[in-house]
Amino acid sequence: MKIAVIGAGSSYTPELIEGVLKAPLPIEEVWLVDLPEGRERVETIAGLSVRMARKAGRNVRFVTTENRPEAIEGAAFVLNQFRVGLLRMRELDERLPLRHGVVGQETTGPGGFANAMRTIPVVREIAEEVERRAPSAWLLNFTNPAGLVTQALLDLGHHRAVGLCNIPRITERMVAAGAGVPQEAVRITVFGLNHLTGTRISIGGEDVTEQVLRMGAAEAELRKAAPEAKPPGDFFPSLGFFPNPYLNYFFFPRATYRHALEAALSPEGTRAQRVQAIEAALFARYRQEDLDEKPPELQQRGGAFYSEVAIDAMVALSGDVPRSLVLNVENNGAIPELPAHAVVERNALVDRTGIRPVPCEEPMPHLLDAVVQAVKEYEFLTVQAALEGSRKKAREALLAHPLVPGAEAAQGLLDDLAAANAEFWPTLR
Ligand code: G6P
């Protein structure tokens, strides 16, 4: 089995390789693709991968290349984890919206919009290459904003694509650790959009969502994004679902904005700048010839367990016995409040015949539904803006986003973001 990793110069890749080496799959070749700018990094990753494979006693061939179509040729799985414009552009996604009074974030709000507009044109090329060179491959997308990018793939007619996220896995593990039970005992039911989900949690068949909310886990997430926020006393316990941490940007827009602004003005800078410092140290470590495993320092990045999610998806999509996973898939009626063609984050049954989202048994809570509906419309408009190169749709997308305060802000944001992204965005007309 051949797999192709696009954006393999990422500092996350050793985590993926760790998963590949443990996977119960006959993986023989891993093609590590990156642009010329990423050559040194990808060679470093390949060197470490060879040492990791030797240690694990696995015979896997690692091939580095800048030739993406060649890497895709005949692959069983193509994994997107690239970042268009690298962390330099992520920093602008995190900074420019602050000038307009809106939080800057790489997946949420105008920052996520700028990122999507850079990414969708590239994803379109990749989908075409996969259709031509590996028509039976599944395209697994981690590239952010992951749900929106998967929506673009499906809207383009590329149906063997699925979006992946590590947050459902983090939630499961957090609950298992807190309750002192094995991870298999925890069941999560997820509904919404990527980075915008509600989750219900049960252990041994008993719904423990409210107990988990009372334990303060959701509030602890809020503290990370907005230490000064003052949620009303019963806010989290009364929600009725465990909130995705990214919902905090919608529920606490002023406090999260203030915190992002403070970070941007501090000597450490935005998350992108911090990640650059973490990456410099990580790559120095990866170059050490005696390193033959994923180093613990990688935990400083936010993508923990993404390899588990990727490998579980590959195993399920190769198998005959349906497995239950949380994925970003075409809704097809599973969440009745959303259109059939909307990409949603939802539990799904997965096997070699495909992915079937599990129909919800209860309506989506109104509060979550309100945010999800608005953001889904923003996502549809963003995909259209990117694919059609439409300035009008781009402005409407920003105006539809619940964090953007009105038409003047939407226009100002669009002008600033378009100027900063001229090298990457499609030409808007
Ligand atoms: C979480 C999110 C990812 C995001 C990451 C950021 O894992 O689910 O979508 O990319 O955090 O981590 P970073 O270390 O890049 O800030």
Side-chain angles (χ1 to χ4, degrees):
M1 178 183 281
K2 171 181 180 181
I3 65 175
V5 183
I6 309 194
S10 161
S11 62
Y12 278 128
T13 306
E15 157 135 9
L16 178 71
I17 300 302
E18 183 189 60
V20 163
L21 295 173
K22 282 196 217 146
L25 287 171
I27 299 173
E28 292 152 331
E29 287 179 19
V30 179
W31 286 59
L32 303 167
V33 189
D34 218 314
L35 299 172
E37 306 87 287
R39 187 175 304 154
E40 200 270 330
R41 290 167 59 120
V42 99
E43 291 301 338
T44 299
I45 299 276
L48 173 57
S49 304
V50 168
R51 299 195 295 276
M52 288 171 72
R54 199 178 301 136
K55 184 177 186 189
R58 287 287 300 258
N59 188 15
V60 179
R61 186 168 158 246
F62 295 96
V63 184
T64 61
T65 183
E66 288 155 27
N67 187 332
R68 194 175 62 201
E70 193 192 352
I72 289 173
E73 181 83 45
F77 294 101
V78 176
L79 208 136
N80 279 349
Q81 56 166 40
F82 60 91
R83 186 188 285 287
V84 180
L86 306 172
L87 288 164
R88 177 175 69 83
M89 291 310 294
R90 173 171 172 184
E91 187 189 337
L92 293 182
D93 295 343
E94 292 168 344
R95 280 186 184 276
L96 294 184
L98 298 170
R99 293 189 192 159
H100 301 265
V102 184
V103 75
Q105 217 287 317
E106 63 158 340
T107 66
T108 301
F113 170 81
N115 191 5
M117 293 288 285
R118 291 197 296 277
T119 304
I120 291 170
V122 179
V123 137
R124 173 189 243 167
E125 288 171 17
I126 294 173
E128 284 165 10
E129 288 162 11
V130 172
E131 269 152 36
R132 251 180 288 124
R133 296 184 174 249
S136 56
W138 274 94
L139 186 45
L140 309 183
N141 183 70
F142 276 105
T143 289
N144 271 327
L148 215 168
V149 168
T150 307
Q151 184 72 58
L153 282 162
L154 291 171
D155 288 355
L156 282 163
H158 191 83
H159 286 272
R160 288 174 81 80
V162 59
L164 305 176
C165 185
N166 60 343
I167 289 180
R169 190 60 54 103
I170 290 177
T171 307
E172 244 169 33
R173 283 183 168 256
M174 178 270 296
V175 173
V181 299
Q183 202 184 321
E184 303 74 60
V186 177
R187 295 204 74 82
I188 56 171
T189 306
V190 177
F191 36 87
L193 308 180
N194 181 235
H195 286 184
L196 214 65
T197 45
T199 299
R200 293 202 65 89
I201 304 163
S202 60
I203 299 179
E206 187 198 342
D207 191 317
V208 295
T209 312
E210 198 176 324
Q211 282 149 267
V212 174
L213 290 167
R214 288 198 185 282
M215 272 163 39
E219 194 156 341
E221 285 298 336
L222 171 61
R223 293 284 155 236
K224 291 186 203 160
E228 312 285 304
K230 293 188 181 55
D234 63 343
F235 180 77
F236 287 111
S238 67
L239 268 183
F241 58 88
F242 188 80
N244 190 295
Y246 287 78
L247 273 164
N248 287 319
Y249 294 110
F250 297 82
F251 294 156
F252 302 92
R254 281 188 287 204
T256 48
Y257 167 72
R258 273 198 303 274
H259 187 58
L261 185 61
E262 276 162 26
L265 298 174
S266 74
E268 275 193 297
T270 70
R271 177 71 187 160
Q273 288 169 284
R274 289 170 207 220
V275 169
Q276 274 169 307
I278 296 170
E279 287 210 321
L282 277 174
F283 273 93
R285 188 85 181 87
Y286 295 169
R287 277 185 218 104
Q288 292 171 350
E289 290 288 327
D290 60 343
L291 182 74
D292 56 8
E293 60 188 16
K294 178 186 84 177
E297 295 94 306
L298 186 49
Q299 283 166 16
Q300 295 169 73
R301 297 293 311 273
F305 315 121
Y306 96 105
S307 72
E308 269 185 27
V309 178
I311 301 301
D312 282 355
M314 291 188 221
V315 170
L317 287 164
S318 310
D320 296 314
V321 182
R323 292 181 55 157
S324 171
L325 299 173
V326 176
L327 298 170
N328 285 268
V329 288
E330 198 161 37
N331 182 27
N332 275 330
I335 302 180
E337 292 84 353
L338 288 166
H341 74 288
V343 167
V344 296
E345 190 160 298
R346 175 73 191 139
N347 302 66
L349 290 175
V350 186
D351 60 23
R352 66 165 78 243
T353 64
I355 304 178
R356 294 169 296 283
V358 178
C360 284
E361 285 172 10
E362 289 169 30
M364 198 152 42
H366 287 294
L367 173 62
L368 182 66
D369 189 28
V371 184
V372 160
Q373 295 289 350
V375 172
K376 194 71 237 181
E377 291 299 342
Y378 145 81
E379 290 191 356
F380 288 142
L381 283 162
T382 303
V383 171
Q384 289 167 24
L387 295 180
E388 296 165 21
S390 162
R391 184 173 296 278
K392 174 178 175 291
K393 296 243 172 92
R395 190 178 59 216
E396 286 180 2
L398 284 165
L399 179 52
H401 198 289
L403 295 183
V404 174
E408 293 109 320
Q411 185 65 57
L413 278 160
L414 181 58
D415 293 344
D416 266 10
L417 295 172
N421 283 276
E423 192 188 331
F424 302 104
W425 277 15
T427 309
L428 297 182
R429 285 177 227 286

